[in-house]
Amino acid sequence: MWHLILTTVNLAIAAFALVLGCAKAHAARGNPDLTLKLTASVLIHCGVIFLLCTPAVYRAVGAAAGSANLPALVVNSATLLCLGHAHLMTQLWHPARKERAALRRTIATWAPVYGTAVILMAVLYAWADVQGPARPLRYSAAYADIWQVVAFQVVYSAGIVATALVTMQQCRGVVMPGRPDLDLALQKSLKAFATAVALDIVNIALTLTAVISAAATGTHRLDFLAEAAWLATIASGVAASFALARLVFSSRRAERRDCRTMEQLWKVATRLGEDNGQLVLAPQPLFWWRNWRVELLRRLAEIREGERVLSPWWSGAPAQAVAGLADQESDLPRDFDLVAAQAAAVVLHAAHARGQGRPPLPDDARLKAMPGGRVPEEEERAHLVLVARHLNLPLVFEAVTRSSR
């Protein structure tokens, strides 16, 4: 009965993690967001781990490979790499550690640790040359009379505990780069993520207890703890999958919302003007069944391309008018952003000027860059959403009107 329950739960978690991981991997194609790629990697590794720890799959893979307990090596290596990717992912969310230099230092420091642990485990597994039958979830405890197997478990345990502690520490004080709208969902997910990592330490504690007992006494009375430790891993997998799924669904909702928020800016930037309605580009309308991430990336690209086409009509007058009106206004909206308002005024003014057939401005009279146009790539989406929210401000319309006289 225990193995039937274990098989059902393992396969369910493996299927969920693999499907979600493959979906994230598909979304990550051509996307510069490293966090997205790492999320996909963590989920896929998690799915593989649970699949291989299903007793029937464990035995089948071992038999096919000619080494009954080879899945134990694969599972331990995949678990260590999974936590390593989670470690790096939490760093990408951390405001003080997400810079490229900090990431390079982290990779340079920890990659040898993970690599050495995996190589040592592989050497110790091959050196032990265990000839006994497959022992799903009990490999280290069942063969604790072989010192290489004990060393194998110690190396794995040291790597997991070190990585888990660092990852848990980094789950505090993190932010989503360029995505303040996801901060609340992120904080909730981080609590579940930290819990998942902590449960991996529980697994290690129970497994080591069984291994040490078997090695010291020569009996296997506590071997059941090694198998029971998998309950902690099941809870860890559920918590981690839940945390990442929450971020995935929150991200999809944010993408849909941002697409809709930027619709008016998209129309302004991709049209010559309201008078003739001609298109700078040939944008397509959004439909509910379309991939919102693809649509979002397309919309961002079209807005930037539309702004580029309108650049000969970029005037500094609307931006100056916005700054002057903002200084005189005592009741600005709470989320008012001067740079975003200036960008909205400049693009509106340029679209109207071109739409009305006015000639391009002389080189010395036009703006060389759109206000806020040189924001980092990861902040571009948030900036354009903010610009779109300022398009309908009376202050922006007044600035455009004054500049068009």
Side-chain angles (χ1 to χ4, degrees):
M1 177 61 72
W2 161 246
H3 278 189
L4 177 60
I5 295 174
L6 183 64
T7 296
T8 302
V9 173
N10 277 4
L11 291 179
I13 295 175
F16 177 79
L18 288 172
V19 168
L20 191 59
C22 289
K24 295 295 284 184
H26 177 74
R29 293 188 309 170
N31 192 308
D33 186 4
L34 181 57
T35 305
L36 191 63
K37 295 178 173 65
L38 288 172
T39 302
S41 178
V42 168
L43 287 166
I44 291 172
H45 275 83
C46 181
V48 170
I49 291 164
F50 277 89
L51 183 63
L52 285 179
C53 283
T54 303
V57 176
Y58 184 104
R59 293 189 178 94
V61 171
S67 179
N69 290 286
L70 181 63
L73 171 62
V74 177
V75 166
N76 284 10
S77 299
T79 302
L80 193 57
L81 293 176
C82 182
L83 274 179
H85 288 170
H87 171 196
L88 186 58
M89 185 166 61
T90 56
Q91 174 156 329
L92 288 171
W93 293 334
H94 201 288
R97 302 190 182 107
K98 65 186 179 183
E99 290 79 9
R100 291 186 181 274
L103 289 175
R104 283 195 295 267
R105 286 195 300 271
T106 297
I107 293 172
T109 301
W110 284 92
V113 175
Y114 300 131
T116 301
V118 171
I119 292 171
L120 278 176
M121 286 192 297
V123 170
L124 289 166
Y125 178 85
W127 192 357
D129 193 25
V130 175
Q131 299 300 319
R135 297 292 187 193
L137 306 180
R138 293 193 180 200
Y139 168 71
S140 296
Y143 298 105
D145 56 319
I146 302 173
W147 74 265
Q148 292 94 335
V149 174
V150 176
F152 171 89
Q153 181 62 37
V154 169
V155 170
Y156 170 67
S157 300
I160 290 295
V161 171
T163 305
L165 291 175
V166 172
T167 303
M168 289 169 62
Q169 190 274 331
Q170 287 192 171
C171 280
R172 295 180 296 180
V174 300
V175 295
M176 181 70 77
R179 303 291 301 280
D181 53 299
L182 287 182
D183 274 349
L184 181 58
L186 178 61
Q187 295 304 320
K188 292 180 179 178
S189 295
L190 283 172
K191 292 179 181 177
F193 202 68
T195 300
V197 174
L199 286 168
D200 286 326
I201 298 179
V202 174
N203 176 296
I204 292 298
L206 292 173
T207 302
L208 276 178
T209 299
V211 172
I212 293 171
S213 173
T217 66
T219 63
H220 296 275
R221 288 177 300 177
L222 297 183
D223 279 14
F224 73 93
L225 288 178
E227 198 167 50
W230 189 248
L231 293 174
T233 301
I234 289 175
S236 173
V238 170
S241 297
F242 172 78
L244 294 175
R246 179 193 287 273
L247 283 180
V248 170
F249 295 135
S250 296
S251 178
R252 296 293 83 77
R253 287 195 299 270
E255 287 164 359
R256 182 169 61 251
R257 183 180 64 248
D258 286 356
C259 268
R260 290 170 174 166
T261 299
M262 287 190 290
E263 185 169 2
Q264 185 177 357
L265 177 62
W266 170 68
K267 288 179 178 179
V268 169
T270 56
R271 292 178 185 274
L272 297 179
E274 296 177 356
D275 295 341
N276 54 28
Q278 293 177 322
L279 298 176
V280 173
L281 305 174
Q284 301 174 6
L286 289 175
F287 298 104
W288 68 268
W289 64 82
R290 302 187 69 158
N291 185 318
W292 286 98
R293 175 169 290 277
V294 172
E295 298 300 339
L296 179 64
L297 294 175
R298 179 179 64 82
R299 181 151 288 184
L300 290 171
E302 287 181 352
I303 289 173
R304 282 308 190 197
E305 176 62 13
E307 289 180 345
R308 186 193 63 79
V309 173
L310 293 173
S311 61
W313 288 267
W314 287 355
S315 169
Q320 294 172 3
V322 166
L325 290 169
D327 286 340
Q328 301 170 13
E329 182 64 54
S330 59
D331 190 25
L332 291 171
R334 190 182 343 181
D335 61 347
F336 179 79
D337 183 273
L338 179 60
V339 174
Q342 289 177 317
V346 169
V347 73
L348 271 175
H349 182 269
H352 289 321
R354 177 166 178 171
Q356 292 168 4
R358 298 180 189 176
L361 297 172
D363 288 344
D364 58 350
R366 73 178 65 159
L367 286 177
K368 303 305 179 186
M370 178 71 67
R374 293 174 179 169
V375 297
E377 184 179 6
E378 65 270 16
E379 297 177 12
E380 180 182 49
R381 170 180 164 187
H383 170 70
L384 290 179
V385 167
L386 199 56
V387 172
R389 289 175 179 164
H390 284 71
L391 277 175
N392 291 323
L393 285 183
L395 181 148
V396 170
F397 280 119
E398 175 64 21
V400 172
T401 300
R402 291 187 181 186
S403 304
S404 300
R405 292 171 184 168

